[in-house]
Amino acid sequence: MHDAPFLTPLAAYEGRKPPAPAWFERAIATEPERDFVEIEGARIETLAWGERGKPGLLLLHGGAAHADWYSFIAPFFAAERRVVAISFSGMGLSDWRPAYAFDQFVREAHEAGRFAGLYEGGRPVVFGHSFGGRITVGLAHEFGEELAAAVLVDPPLFAPRNVRPPQPPGDARAPRLQPTFEAAVARFRLAPPQPCEHPYILDHIARLSLREATDAAGAKGWTWRFDPNLWARMGRKDAMALVSRARCPLGIVRGERSKIFRAEDAEYVAAQIGPGAPYVTMPETDHHVMFDQPLAFVSVVETFLKVWPPAWRA
């Protein structure tokens, strides 16, 4: 768990692209519409696949990630749906803010989705991974009447015995620079760290996660797109308290080996949702389920969209 290949799975490639299967190359070749919309003083990045007017599917990313984390997943649904992914403020190519708040992220998801045509085909379905799962709970609570359903994908929601105290804010820090683009790609890793059986996915995301920057001494280099002070400037809110007050049906997807969302956490969340909440555990997956089993994740999403919730389909 502590050796270099585990912590930096792309280091062995030294900035070269790992070989990728044909399905993956076809998926990422399907370029989305890329745009920005201003929300409460910040430009928010939006990606969209498929035609406006088709049923909507909103995909929300995890903390310090960005909309392109779904660039190899979204194209599978573009023939039948208007698929939208956004980058929250402080992440991806979206603007940074002096401070970040849960409710503001919820409004970003709602307003950016509307801007990108998410609601033009009726009430959309939302899938939110990790941090995006917490925002999905807020979206289901604040705007649930506008949604068909929402699915929480390995969210950091905990049973009472597993609740973790929030870390105190740290000091403001400058981004750490790598001297070359290739060196930065080689250092890309997932958080929390986990094995990566599909390095071509990790490499693809790494290349879309970098920006050029200059440090305090004037040296140029490459660093990550997210705000390095994101978590220190983040306001906290108890998303678990909103689960039972969601105004649309909620479902759950969990990674079998996840260290974030354990079985007892998922069972507790399911109990808060109430009887009949669909709950899927994906075998051989850690927290980042779409990286571990990408095609299986596509099948899980497709199954949710085809058979649930019955009232929405009727």
Side-chain angles (χ1 to χ4, degrees):
M1 294 288 288
H2 297 285
D3 58 12
F6 181 79
L7 293 176
T8 53
L10 294 177
Y13 296 93
E14 299 179 330
R16 300 184 302 273
K17 287 188 177 183
W23 72 262
F24 181 81
E25 297 289 3
R26 287 195 300 270
I28 63 173
T30 307
E31 271 292 316
E33 300 169 24
R34 296 179 180 270
D35 211 337
F36 292 89
V37 57
E38 184 167 324
I39 299 173
E40 300 177 26
R43 287 200 328 155
I44 302 301
E45 180 183 28
T46 67
L47 276 60
W49 297 257
E51 297 176 8
R52 285 178 177 263
K54 291 186 175 181
L57 172 61
L58 178 62
L59 303 173
L60 298 179
H61 64 76
H66 50 79
D68 268 297
W69 277 52
Y70 288 108
S71 59
F72 60 98
I73 298 293
F76 283 92
F77 306 99
E80 298 180 357
R81 295 184 174 271
R82 177 66 169 181
V83 187
V84 175
I86 75 163
S87 296
F88 294 113
S89 58
M91 302 175 237
L93 292 177
S94 292
D95 286 345
W96 298 0
R97 296 186 186 273
Y100 303 93
F102 178 92
D103 291 337
Q104 192 164 57
F105 287 129
V106 170
R107 294 191 296 272
E108 287 176 6
H110 179 253
E111 294 177 35
R114 185 169 298 285
F115 165 81
L118 183 71
Y119 296 87
E120 294 174 12
R123 293 181 296 152
V125 177
V126 183
F127 279 75
H129 173 246
S130 193
F131 170 81
R134 290 175 56 84
I135 304 307
T136 297
V137 173
L139 199 62
H141 173 256
E142 293 296 326
F143 302 102
E145 69 280 355
E146 300 179 38
L147 305 175
V151 182
L152 316 179
V153 183
D154 221 78
L157 298 172
F158 310 112
R161 62 179 290 178
N162 295 335
V163 171
R164 308 168 189 183
Q167 294 183 346
D171 295 332
R173 58 191 180 93
R176 297 179 181 177
L177 300 188
Q178 296 298 316
T180 66
F181 182 86
E182 291 74 17
V185 167
R187 288 187 61 83
F188 186 76
R189 68 192 74 181
L190 297 172
Q194 65 171 69
C196 181
E197 297 181 11
H198 307 291
Y200 54 90
I201 297 178
L202 204 62
D203 177 87
H204 171 69
I205 299 302
R207 294 173 187 276
L208 294 170
S209 300
L210 290 164
R211 63 182 177 87
E212 288 188 274
T214 304
D215 66 17
K220 296 184 180 297
W222 293 85
T223 190
W224 314 117
R225 289 179 178 175
F226 64 84
D227 182 349
N229 298 298
L230 177 68
W231 304 120
R233 296 171 177 168
M234 181 83 69
R236 307 294 175 179
K237 187 165 186 174
D238 182 11
M240 180 65 84
L242 304 178
V243 169
S244 63
R245 291 148 54 191
R247 289 189 269 174
C248 71
L250 294 180
I252 299 169
V253 175
R254 189 182 79 85
E256 179 189 35
R257 301 186 302 235
S258 176
K259 302 298 190 296
I260 297 290
F261 193 51
R262 301 175 188 271
E264 65 178 309
D265 299 319
E267 290 161 8
Y268 181 79
V269 173
Q272 304 309 301
I273 296 172
Y279 167 22
V280 174
T281 298
M282 291 185 60
E284 296 298 309
T285 58
D286 291 276
H287 175 59
H288 299 89
V289 296
M290 68 282 286
F291 282 35
D292 297 329
Q293 298 284 349
L295 296 181
F297 181 70
V298 168
S299 294
V300 167
V301 174
E302 183 67 23
T303 300
F304 270 93
L305 294 175
K306 285 187 179 298
V307 305
W308 174 82
W312 167 62
R313 290 181 52 76

